């Protein structure tokens, strides 16, 4: 699936007024919860809380965001997979939903355990450094890493995360070696990066964009093929000796397998309508995220392709959950 906005079509009439969807059927019968499989402060949490207020209005029931962190997102994913398929439990997953399939021994198979609702949005990763380091650009950082292999630490949101795999590819293609410091989520990693406790941080730009703009973190490169409208002047790795290099993070809403199609489609239309709101679009843009809003079928196909793509990278590089 190419990055694009799929919001041209109007939302279903059933969602045009608060509570109307509930009046047309029994769903939702009680509060709807969105599980965020990471601690507060990360990008999943940020995106979920952008969606939450308007979804509450449209669905006519409270939408509650619950953080269930652990094991690179698989704790929250497991809880979602075990939930009743009645449309009252959802997971705002990111790229680890796909990468964990190859990385870990899981109690579920992704394509069998979940109902795929919608791809909310995408954004690139950026490799950043604390201003206290001597690295003014990526070339200087690589030179330091080659001079002293595996002594320069970089933080990510966890083993097998998109940020981790993207950095592994950079090292492989650039013939340098860093030392990985995995965290349990973007929030904790960000705090240590801002404090200078870890010199490098590969992160999606949702949680680091304001800190880059404020000068608290210095960007060294982007993982998308073209320049970013959100970070003008930050050079993509495609123009730093890594042709065709691209790694995007994304946020997708999934539920347990077996959610009836009418509920799945209604939730997708609700999210799509929320994403069409001008203030929501502005808040997503402030975070550096590009809105998508895909259908359930498109989302399922996208996840399947991500499992295949990143699974090959994980196997080829011998990445394990304890690496």
């Amino acid at each position: 699936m190419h990055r694009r906005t799929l919001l041209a079509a109007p939302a279903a009439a059933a969602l045009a007024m608060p509570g109307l969807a509930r009046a047309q059927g029994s769903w939702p019968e009680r509060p709807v919860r969105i599980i965020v499989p990471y601690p507060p402060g990360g990008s999943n949490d940020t995106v979920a809380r952008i969606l939450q207020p308007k979804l509450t209005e449209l669905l006519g029931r409270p939408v509650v965001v619950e953080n269930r962190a652990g094991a690179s997102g698989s704790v929250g994913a497991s809880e979602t997979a075990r939930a009743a398929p009645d449309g009252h439990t959802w997971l705002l997953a990111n790229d680890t939903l796909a990468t964990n399939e190859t990385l870990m021994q899981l109690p579920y198979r992704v394509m069998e355990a979940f109902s795929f609702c919608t791809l909310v949005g995408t954004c690139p990763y950026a490799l950043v450094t604390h201003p206290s380091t001597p690295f003014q650009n990526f070339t200087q950082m690589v030179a330091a890493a080659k001079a002293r292999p595996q002594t320069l630490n970089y933080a990510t949101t966890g083993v097998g995360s998109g940020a981790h795999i993207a950095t592994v590819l950079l090292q492989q293609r650039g013939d340098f070696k860093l030392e990985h410091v995995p965290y349990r989520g973007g929030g904790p990693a960000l705090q240590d990066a801002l404090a200078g406790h870890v010199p490098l941080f590969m992160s999606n730009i949702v949680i680091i964009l304001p800190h880059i703009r404020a000068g608290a973190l210095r960007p060294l490169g982007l993982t998308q093929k073209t320049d970013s409208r959100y970070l003008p002047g930050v050079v993509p790795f495609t123009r730093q000796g890594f042709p065709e290099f691209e790694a995007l993070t994304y946020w997708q809403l999934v539920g347990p397998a077996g959610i009836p199609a009418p509920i799945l489609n209604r939730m997708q239309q609700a999210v799509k309508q929320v994403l069409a709101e001008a203030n929501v679009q502005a808040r997503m843009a402030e975070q550096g995220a590009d809105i998508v809003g895909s259908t359930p079928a498109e989302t399922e196909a996208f996840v399947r392709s991500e499992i295949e793509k990143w699974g090959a990278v994980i196997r080829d590089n011998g990445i394990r959950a304890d690496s």
Side-chain angles (χ1 to χ4, degrees):
M1 181 184 302
H2 298 292
R3 284 193 307 159
R4 62 194 187 278
T5 301
L6 302 174
L7 301 174
L15 294 172
M17 296 176 61
L20 186 55
R22 183 161 54 91
Q24 291 188 338
S26 59
W27 180 83
E29 299 175 335
R30 57 183 184 276
V32 173
R33 63 176 181 151
I34 296 178
I35 293 176
V36 170
Y38 291 100
S43 66
N44 287 56
D45 187 67
T46 298
V47 172
R49 295 182 191 280
I50 289 174
L51 300 177
Q52 178 187 26
K54 191 64 178 180
L55 277 178
T56 293
E57 179 183 337
L58 288 174
L59 298 178
R61 295 285 190 184
V63 173
V64 181
V65 175
E66 297 182 6
N67 297 89
R68 294 286 188 269
S72 295
S74 63
V75 170
S78 295
E79 182 173 342
T80 304
R82 292 192 302 266
D86 55 13
H88 292 94
T89 300
W90 302 87
L91 174 74
L92 190 68
N94 64 359
D95 43 77
T96 60
L97 188 72
T99 58
N100 285 347
E101 180 84 346
T102 307
L103 187 75
M104 298 180 172
Q105 293 292 328
L106 297 171
Y108 56 83
R109 301 291 293 176
V110 172
M111 301 310 299
E112 300 169 1
F114 298 102
S115 299
F116 301 93
C117 183
T118 190
L119 184 64
V120 176
T122 68
C123 84
Y125 299 99
L127 181 64
V128 298
T129 188
H130 191 268
S132 64
T133 72
F135 312 131
Q136 298 299 313
N137 53 54
F138 182 65
T139 300
Q140 292 177 355
M141 187 279 293
V142 170
K146 287 185 175 182
R148 300 183 63 190
Q150 292 182 281
T151 60
L152 191 58
N153 294 339
Y154 74 98
T156 74
T157 56
V159 172
S161 64
H164 177 208
I165 298 174
T167 313
V168 167
L169 279 177
L170 280 176
Q171 293 173 82
Q172 183 182 39
R173 295 184 182 181
D175 193 27
F176 63 93
K177 292 184 178 181
L178 304 172
E179 185 67 21
H180 185 211
V181 181
Y183 285 75
R184 293 187 62 190
L190 174 64
Q191 293 308 310
D192 272 8
L194 289 171
H197 298 321
V198 61
L200 298 169
F201 181 27
M202 179 72 93
S203 170
N204 65 64
I205 66 174
V206 167
I207 63 171
I208 59 175
L209 184 60
H211 305 289
I212 292 175
R213 290 172 172 169
L217 294 171
R218 180 185 300 135
L220 302 178
L222 283 172
T223 65
Q224 67 183 43
K225 292 182 179 180
T226 59
D227 291 356
S228 170
R229 61 189 173 121
Y230 302 116
L231 288 170
V234 179
V235 184
F237 291 115
T238 52
R239 300 211 309 275
Q240 300 196 63
F242 299 85
E244 299 302 312
F245 186 91
E246 183 173 50
L248 302 176
T249 192
Y250 48 87
W251 306 274
Q252 60 196 315
L253 193 69
V254 304
I259 293 178
I263 294 177
L264 192 65
N265 291 330
R266 192 179 295 175
M267 186 63 163
Q268 187 269 339
Q269 286 292 320
V271 174
K272 186 175 179 179
Q273 185 167 338
V274 171
L275 293 173
E277 293 281 327
N279 65 324
V280 171
Q281 292 188 354
R283 291 186 65 191
M284 292 288 281
E286 287 174 1
Q287 305 299 324
D290 294 314
I291 289 171
V292 181
S294 57
T295 67
E298 290 169 329
T299 307
E300 182 174 353
F302 175 80
V303 175
R304 189 182 303 276
S305 69
E306 287 289 291
I307 290 173
E308 294 174 357
K309 172 183 175 181
W310 294 116
V313 175
I314 291 168
R315 289 189 295 269
D316 290 348
N317 289 277
I319 301 172
R320 307 184 310 273
D322 59 351
S323 60

